[in-house]
Amino acid sequence: MLRWLIGGGREPQGLAEKSVQTIGEEQTQNPYTELLVLKGHHDIVRFLVPIDDYRFASAGDDGIVCLWNAQCLTVLQRLDVWLSGGSDLCVWNRKLDLLCKTSHLIDADISAMIELPKNCVAAAVGKELIILRLKASRDGTEWDVIEVKRLLDHEDNIVSLVSVSDLTFATGSHVGELIVWDALDWTMHAYERRWDASLHVDPQQEIKLSHSQNEVSIQHLASDEECVFAAVGKGIYVYNLQMKRVIAFQKTAHDSTVLHITKVPNRQIISCSEDGSVRIWELREKQQLTAEPVPSGFFSMWGFGRTSKQASHTAKKPPESTTVFSLDLIGDLIGHSLAVQMFLYFSEHGLATCSADHLVILWKDGERESRLRSLLLFHKLEQSEDLQLRI
């Protein structure tokens, strides 16, 4: 397997959300009631990278990489930053030896990159999606590019790229195009752009793409193999891969552009924004019944205008049911003063966020931390009693 190191104001009222959702101080479904501020950077913190189940690294504009332990909350190590990217696609081994450099194949900066099956890599370069197939030498010390394919299906620059499964990946562009690709033959599976139209709203009320591109730019994508979760402008959208349509959305999930989004257990979604907020949403399924057909016209109530057989047939037709999903706000994490660039989810060890305010914040489950402190206290008391008995 290849390992890749890749280094305002509110908008006009939307279709379903007239303003940003708010939640009160009592957030009964929000477990993150404790926060720990981790200070180690002196400029904007832009990236968080997971290392294992409880350790992660942070990097920012100050040229520093900090390694953090989400379990015991200590800085483990500080390393000098080295950069790779731009117009170069490089392959490194675990000893950081350069194995391959493909600068002659790419004319612009790489905005995103993911690994694909069969030793392939997808790189987003402007409007192009470049697929590179690589082959290693027998001893693994050298790599060569043996195939290059350029896909020009996007109308504007590709902003986000995500691996959905071993068979599928997705890309998102600056003008709101979502394309789902086959990871083996690199053909297009699905295309979505007019997000509101996919929800079958009134075309006269539909938000047009003539608005600012920032309102529809897909800044980040996430997936759970069943759905793709897209950060589109200030909103978040859930696109079902099997149904090939949007099944839930919040048009104004934040006051400003959503920068990062991910799916976590229990049908929950976390998003963060330029407005400095981090929000937790729950995807809920609802059953709605469509209106039962009613014979047209006043006289049809009394049997005029239609035969009684037709009226009887209409009355006996059962109502149709459609499944509707909603995204409900269940938590609002307020701790950063500037744009939250991204976050990492560590399950039982909490949520780590990084921001333009130079801070990394670790959000903890308050009830879990309280239990752990109580257990630690009891353990110390038991040790103290044992020691007194021995004396």
Side-chain angles (χ1 to χ4, degrees):
M1 174 179 281
L2 297 175
R3 298 283 182 178
W4 302 96
L5 182 59
I6 304 171
R10 292 183 181 175
E11 62 182 16
Q13 292 181 348
L15 302 173
E17 287 74 34
K18 295 184 179 180
S19 61
V20 176
Q21 265 197 50
T22 57
I23 190 170
E25 294 183 0
E26 293 185 4
Q27 303 179 31
T28 57
Q29 293 181 275
N30 178 13
Y32 303 112
T33 56
E34 289 189 16
L35 63 88
L36 296 163
V37 179
L38 311 181
K39 296 181 179 180
H41 289 279
H42 311 292
D43 208 332
I44 297 175
V45 189
R46 297 189 182 274
F47 301 104
L48 299 176
V49 179
I51 297 175
D52 52 31
D53 291 341
Y54 58 90
R55 293 183 300 172
F56 65 99
S58 59
D61 290 359
D62 54 9
I64 295 175
V65 171
C66 292
L67 266 63
W68 304 93
N69 187 326
Q71 194 171 25
C72 61
L73 305 175
T74 58
V75 178
L76 301 179
Q77 189 177 359
R78 214 177 245 198
L79 305 173
D80 292 332
V81 166
W82 63 273
L83 301 177
S84 179
S87 60
D88 300 331
L89 174 61
C90 300
V91 181
W92 309 82
N93 64 14
R94 294 190 177 185
K95 297 180 180 179
L96 303 184
D97 298 324
L98 182 61
L99 303 179
C100 179
K101 187 175 182 179
T102 60
S103 57
H104 62 286
L105 299 174
I106 299 173
D107 301 325
D109 289 344
I110 301 171
S111 61
M113 184 164 53
I114 60 171
E115 179 186 345
L116 298 180
K118 299 182 179 180
N119 287 353
C120 292
V121 174
V125 183
K127 300 178 184 180
E128 289 187 277
L129 182 63
I130 300 179
I131 310 294
L132 303 171
R133 190 186 300 276
L134 297 99
K135 183 178 180 181
S137 59
R138 290 185 177 181
D139 58 2
T141 59
E142 294 182 359
W143 289 76
D144 292 316
V145 177
I146 60 173
E147 184 180 357
V148 179
K149 186 175 179 63
R150 298 175 183 268
L151 306 177
L152 297 170
D153 295 272
H154 278 287
E155 295 181 12
D156 206 338
N157 291 342
I158 300 172
V159 182
S160 50
L161 186 61
V162 65
S163 177
V164 177
S165 67
D166 291 339
L167 302 177
T168 313
F169 69 99
T171 53
S173 78
H174 190 50
V175 293
E177 304 165 289
L178 171 69
I179 298 181
V180 181
W181 304 88
D182 188 299
L184 298 178
D185 60 16
W186 315 325
T187 57
M188 188 187 300
H189 269 185
Y191 179 93
E192 179 65 62
R193 177 169 177 174
R194 302 178 71 181
W195 298 93
D196 299 321
S198 67
L199 295 169
H200 308 292
V201 298
D202 185 354
Q204 295 180 352
Q205 296 179 335
E206 186 181 336
I207 300 297
K208 303 297 182 182
L209 291 176
S210 58
H211 288 186
S212 170
Q213 287 185 341
N214 289 332
E215 295 180 6
V216 294
S217 178
I218 303 179
Q219 293 296 322
H220 191 250
L221 292 172
S223 177
D224 65 353
E225 298 191 6
E226 179 182 351
C227 295
V228 172
F229 307 93
V232 184
K234 300 176 184 179
I236 56 178
Y237 291 75
V238 181
Y239 181 86
N240 186 277
L241 293 167
Q242 184 177 4
M243 301 169 66
K244 293 186 178 182
R245 71 179 182 90
V246 174
I247 60 171
F249 78 118
Q250 279 287 344
K251 178 98 174 61
T252 48
H254 292 264
D255 282 315
S256 193
T257 303
V258 181
L259 299 179
H260 197 83
I261 187 173
T262 196
K263 168 77 174 351
V264 297
N266 300 322
R267 301 176 70 87
Q268 293 179 1
I269 299 168
I270 304 177
S271 59
C272 66
S273 168
E274 285 182 344
D275 62 15
S277 65
V278 181
R279 298 189 136 196
I280 307 173
W281 310 84
E282 185 176 351
L283 183 64
R284 294 174 180 170
E285 183 175 352
K286 297 181 180 179
Q287 292 290 335
Q288 290 189 351
L289 299 180
T290 60
E292 187 175 348
V294 177
S296 61
F298 172 79
F299 293 104
S300 62
M301 295 175 59
W302 308 102
F304 300 108
R306 285 193 179 186
T307 65
S308 59
K309 180 179 180 181
Q310 289 176 321
S312 175
H313 177 73
T314 303
K316 291 180 179 179
K317 185 177 180 180
E320 297 177 355
S321 64
T322 58
T323 302
V324 177
F325 294 85
S326 65
L327 278 174
D328 297 330
L329 182 64
I330 63 171
D332 200 352
L333 310 184
I334 301 174
H336 288 289
S337 59
L338 294 175
V340 181
Q341 303 293 323
M342 64 173 296
F343 54 84
L344 290 178
Y345 175 72
F346 286 99
S347 185
E348 62 181 16
H349 296 303
L351 182 75
T353 58
C354 66
S355 170
D357 60 12
H358 310 174
L359 299 178
V360 176
I361 293 181
L362 188 63
W363 307 83
K364 288 284 193 175
D365 184 329
E367 292 185 3
R368 180 179 182 274
E369 294 302 307
S370 178
R371 290 195 302 269
L372 291 176
R373 284 192 292 267
S374 297
L375 291 174
L376 181 60
L377 177 61
F378 291 148
H379 181 64
K380 288 183 177 180
L381 290 174
E382 289 177 354
Q383 288 181 331
S384 177
E385 291 177 358
D386 291 342
L387 180 62
Q388 291 178 356
L389 290 174
R390 291 177 184 177
I391 294 175

